[in-house]
């Protein structure tokens, strides 16, 4: 049995232990698609160069960096928040190496109690992190609190394909092969067994969309990516 406890100390400790192999394993396990998914989220936010953006569960700052460097529309600035210190340390190194220290600021904090003022951001985003938040609803309320009225939110999270044949093949990969590769690459027994187990427990797309509507967001659009292996939620704050 794999524990799916989302206690903050457990989750932050787990990510701290895999931090230095995290980016490489993301590329390997997603066959490079993780970068495309992040790019799609940023395109949907349609930055114009004037936006101050919150990147929750920023990890090693992949999404934050892409938000201020991707062609076709960039954010003015990003504040990245995470509670895993080793992940933030790696992210800070990447930010400094890219010369983006004046546009990206990393803060240690919890998604259910963000240390930032009300209505202080034009947009917010989270990539594959909301699933790990101890209380989903509290995290969504915090997004609504820190966003200005009309501000947009992009949420990327894993899903489960429903197409016959693809569904069974993906479940086999996700539940059996991915944990083996993850354990070999990360040298951590638990993290990549926790991943598929936590996806199984995450709300279905329609349920999560309704959670967004019930916690401060007026409109929600759900986009299936890569045959339903990932879902992108685009929401607008009341």
């Amino acid at each position: 049995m794999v524990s799916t406890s989302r206690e903050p100390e457990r989750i932050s400790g787990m990510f701290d232990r895999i931090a230095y192999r995290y980016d490489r394993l993301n590329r390997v396990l997603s066959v490079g698609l993780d970068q495309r998914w992040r790019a799609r989220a940023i395109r949907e936010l349609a930055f114009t160069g004037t936006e101050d953006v919150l990147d929750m569960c920023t990890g090693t700052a992949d999404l934050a960096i892409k938000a201020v460097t991707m062609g076709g529309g960039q954010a003015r600035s990003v504040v990245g928040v995470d509670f895993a210190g080793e992940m933030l340390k790696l992210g800070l190194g990447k930010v400094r190496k890219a010369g983006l220290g004046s546009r990206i600021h990393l803060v240690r904090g919890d998604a259910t109690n963000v240390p930032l003022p009300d209505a202080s951001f034009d947009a917010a985003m989270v990539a594959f992190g909301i699933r790990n938040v101890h209380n989903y609803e509290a995290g969504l309320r915090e997004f609504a609190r820190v966003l200005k009225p009309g501000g947009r939110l992009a949420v990327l999270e894993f899903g489960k394909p429903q197409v016959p044949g693809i569904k069974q093949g993906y479940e086999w990969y996700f539940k059996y092969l991915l944990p083996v590769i993850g354990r070999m690459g990360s040298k951590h027994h638990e993290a990549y067994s926790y991943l598929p187990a936590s996806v199984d427990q995450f709300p279905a797309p329609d349920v999560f969309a309704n959670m967004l509507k019930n916690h401060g967001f007026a409109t929600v659009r759900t986009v299936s990516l890569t045959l339903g292996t990932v879902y992108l939620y685009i929401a607008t704050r009341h």
Side-chain angles (χ1 to χ4, degrees):
M1 293 291 292
V2 178
S3 171
T4 54
S5 166
R6 302 193 306 277
E7 288 297 324
E9 295 81 5
R10 174 177 182 260
I11 298 298
S12 62
M14 184 168 64
F15 278 99
D16 278 341
R17 289 192 291 276
I18 66 172
Y20 288 88
R21 299 176 177 88
Y22 182 79
D23 284 348
R24 183 181 299 174
L25 277 169
N26 274 354
R27 307 297 179 266
V28 170
L29 293 171
S30 72
V31 200
L33 290 173
D34 64 307
Q35 294 293 71
R36 292 188 185 182
W37 298 328
R38 289 180 173 86
R40 174 64 183 272
I42 290 168
R43 286 198 301 271
E44 290 285 351
L45 289 172
F47 296 138
T48 63
T50 63
E51 294 85 3
D52 298 317
V53 180
L54 171 65
D55 179 27
M56 183 55 66
C57 306
T58 190
T60 62
D62 258 9
L63 190 62
I65 290 170
K66 193 173 285 291
V68 300
T69 59
M70 199 172 91
Q74 301 172 3
R76 176 170 62 186
S77 70
V78 178
V79 175
V81 177
D82 205 292
F83 59 11
E86 292 302 315
M87 297 284 278
L88 284 175
K89 189 183 297 183
L90 281 172
L92 181 60
K94 289 162 63 175
V95 168
R96 288 175 173 170
K97 184 176 180 180
L100 297 170
S102 64
R103 297 178 68 191
I104 298 176
H105 307 280
L106 303 183
V107 177
R108 192 166 190 179
D110 191 309
T112 63
N113 187 21
V114 183
L116 296 165
D118 295 358
S120 51
F121 292 97
D122 304 292
M125 53 192 187
V126 56
F128 310 107
I130 194 67
R131 186 186 75 257
N132 302 317
V133 173
H134 180 59
N135 183 320
Y136 305 140
E137 289 86 352
L140 298 182
R141 284 194 295 268
E142 283 294 87
F143 274 126
R145 181 184 68 79
V146 301
L147 278 171
K148 298 173 183 177
R152 283 159 62 80
L153 169 67
V155 179
L156 276 170
E157 194 48 85
F158 290 112
K160 293 180 283 188
Q162 300 303 311
V163 179
I166 293 171
K167 176 182 178 180
Q168 289 78 6
Y170 181 74
E171 286 179 350
W172 179 85
Y173 167 75
F174 208 53
K175 291 184 178 180
Y176 300 106
L177 185 57
L178 181 148
V180 171
I181 298 171
R183 283 195 294 271
M184 292 173 61
S186 68
K187 310 301 181 186
H188 189 276
H189 178 76
E190 187 180 14
Y192 288 90
S193 296
Y194 163 82
L195 194 160
S198 66
V199 172
D200 275 343
Q201 286 202 344
F202 192 71
D206 58 335
V207 175
F208 185 70
N210 281 329
M211 288 173 64
L212 284 161
K213 292 175 184 176
N214 291 333
H215 290 86
F217 293 90
T219 61
V220 180
R221 182 162 54 91
T222 303
V223 182
S224 172
L225 302 176
T226 316
L227 301 172
T229 59
V230 167
Y231 282 86
L232 172 61
Y233 304 88
I234 305 298
T236 303
R237 188 196 183 284
H238 279 295

